[in-house]
Amino acid sequence: MAAPEPLLTVRDLGVTFRTPRGPVRAVDGLSFDVPHGRTLGIVGESGSGKSVTSLAVMGLHTGAEVTGSVALDGRELVGMPDRELSRLRGRRMAMIFQDPLSSLHPYYTVGEQIAEHHRVHFGTRRAAARARAVEALAEVGIPEPKRRVGEYPHQFSGGMRQRVMIAMALVCEPDLLIADEPTTALDVTVQAQILDLLARLQQERRLSVVMITHDLGVVARVAHEVLVMYGGRAAEQAPVDALFAHPAHPYTQGLLDSLPRLDDPDDVPLRAIPGSPPSLLDPAPGCAFAPRCARAAAGSPAERERCAGERPPLGGPEGHTAACHFAAFPAFPAYEGVAP
Ligand SMILES: Nc1ncnc2c1ncn2[C@@H]1O[C@H](COP(=O)(O)OP(=O)(O)OP(=O)(O)O)[C@@H](O)[C@H]1O
Ligand code: SF4
Ligand SMILES: [Mg+2]
């Protein structure tokens, strides 16, 4: 039986900002799928293009030139008129951000905001929309939802506010949820609770989720598939188990090496990959990671020349690809038992 069509299909996505210093190619040649009921983790350091990618998928790329294709259930979104796009936003696809206060209005109660969202998309009457808001707050684990529906955003803690945002994003039952660093501002315990909540909702509703993060720990917890971005491009794409067991790209290997280990003493500073992100204004001709790459540094002069002069294409076995001339993939049997 053929696999079902993915909900979201992104092909050769490019996003360019025109700036006084020249074009900034923030996203370049990115392709990925998000199947129904699955979670894609997009991971990469600051400036790698994660947020620009998610905004482009949502059609919120004011001022940027977007090329390539973004299809939701087969409908092309790139070039779609704004009116049509805004009907899809909220109704079929929704987004949550790191800072819920920036998306919640301070002068309206959370109940009014959730209810209004429902009314706009479904034309629900006021009382029914309010009842739906109470249900939505209960679904995301807010205690005493009947009382709290009448409170204002500032009366909620950071974690509870993020739950309100999730309730608002999901009240119209979208198929796709994009979560851009939704737990970065929260402490570790609350972060775990929110990630568990998202994982539960994702399973119960067969939601497709794009989870954007700079934290591989978050990816390990919620993602089925992972896209590692570097300098606006895909460095590696793989099922989550394969990525952690057999990282093929030196950048992914560096990210994994920088994760804190259980046996680390408390006073050991976090390891980071030395060097800084590549310039998007004036991209180098070869591999964008070359100046920071341990594999390239350890290579022969001919290998180093290739890394500096020739941009590596994405390649590898079915379902696991990396953009590195010397990507180290394990032999085929290593992939047996890896969840698709
Ligand atoms: N409006 C804009 N004009 C020019 N450049 C922009 C604009 N918006 C984003 N960029 C550039 O695009 C690149 C990618 O930005 P993006 O916000 O997607 O990074 P990110 O991966 O989400 O980083 P972070 O982890 O810090 O959120 C950055 O170099 C950024 O400076
Ligand atoms: S192509 Fe070269 S520089 Fe780029 S990641 Fe691979 S080894 Fe490193
Ligand atoms: Mg971002």
Side-chain angles (χ1 to χ4, degrees):
M1 201 172 70
E5 285 298 309
L7 174 70
L8 181 72
T9 309
V10 174
R11 289 291 173 271
D12 203 18
L13 181 69
V15 182
T16 307
F17 295 97
R18 305 270 154 211
T19 75
R21 296 173 59 209
V24 169
R25 187 96 173 132
V27 175
D28 191 13
L30 204 61
S31 298
F32 58 86
D33 290 339
V34 187
H36 292 269
R38 308 284 283 180
T39 298
L40 170 75
I42 301 186
V43 69
E45 64 194 353
S46 189
S48 57
K50 307 181 296 295
S51 296
V52 170
T53 300
S54 58
L55 294 172
V57 169
M58 295 287 288
L60 295 167
H61 37 70
T62 11
E65 182 195 323
V66 179
T67 53
S69 164
V70 175
L72 185 75
D73 247 348
R75 282 181 76 190
E76 180 59 54
L77 306 187
V78 175
M80 185 182 264
D82 276 347
R83 275 173 64 95
E84 243 177 285
L85 257 175
S86 60
R87 269 201 296 270
L88 288 181
R89 271 196 301 268
R91 177 66 196 90
R92 300 278 329 264
M93 51 187 188
M95 192 160 174
I96 53 175
F97 300 92
Q98 177 176 333
D99 175 15
L101 273 187
S102 65
S103 318
L104 289 169
H105 199 293
Y107 300 152
Y108 295 94
T109 67
V110 302
E112 284 166 339
Q113 296 184 59
I114 298 172
E116 181 60 16
H117 198 52
H118 201 262
R119 268 157 42 81
V120 164
H121 286 282
F122 291 107
T124 333
R125 284 173 182 277
R126 205 168 286 276
R130 187 181 159 89
R132 187 69 198 90
V134 174
E135 274 171 28
L137 290 181
E139 279 168 29
V140 297
I142 292 197
E144 298 186 73
K146 277 198 178 130
R147 179 174 68 79
R148 303 220 69 182
V149 78
E151 292 186 347
Y152 293 87
H154 73 266
Q155 293 176 281
F156 289 76
S157 67
M160 286 295 159
R161 230 177 264 145
Q162 197 51 284
R163 286 176 193 261
V164 169
M165 274 310 298
I166 296 170
M168 187 143 91
L170 297 187
V171 72
C172 295
E173 307 202 348
D175 307 300
L176 175 68
L177 176 69
I178 301 185
D180 191 350
E181 307 263 8
T183 59
T184 305
L186 304 173
D187 72 50
V188 179
T189 316
V190 179
Q191 173 170 354
Q193 290 164 355
I194 298 289
L195 292 176
D196 287 348
L197 169 69
L198 282 171
R200 174 171 68 75
L201 292 167
Q202 184 262 326
Q203 273 182 3
E204 284 174 6
R205 299 180 173 218
R206 247 187 125 243
L207 258 180
S208 301
V209 175
V210 176
M211 172 65 73
I212 291 176
T213 177
H214 60 271
D215 183 347
L216 275 173
V218 170
V219 164
R221 203 171 178 115
V222 300
H224 300 109
E225 305 279 330
V226 190
L227 160 61
V228 180
M229 288 187 72
Y230 188 78
R233 302 175 68 91
E236 184 159 2
Q237 295 180 262
V240 67
D241 297 354
L243 190 95
F244 278 84
H246 307 289
H249 194 287
Y251 177 59
T252 316
Q253 290 159 4
L255 287 179
L256 284 169
D257 284 344
S258 65
L259 281 179
R261 299 203 184 94
L262 282 177
D263 55 2
D264 276 347
D266 287 346
D267 56 352
V268 166
L270 278 183
R271 289 168 288 261
I273 302 172
S276 39
S279 162
L280 304 173
L281 266 173
D282 187 16
C287 175
F289 190 54
R292 303 169 72 184
C293 181
R295 168 67 182 82
S300 67
E303 286 177 342
R304 283 203 297 279
E305 198 174 314
R306 189 169 178 212
C307 291
E310 192 186 321
R311 178 176 285 179
L314 264 181
E318 179 82 25
H320 187 170
T321 52
C324 170
H325 295 307
F326 310 107
F329 293 101
F332 176 73
Y335 287 90
E336 284 179 0
V338 170

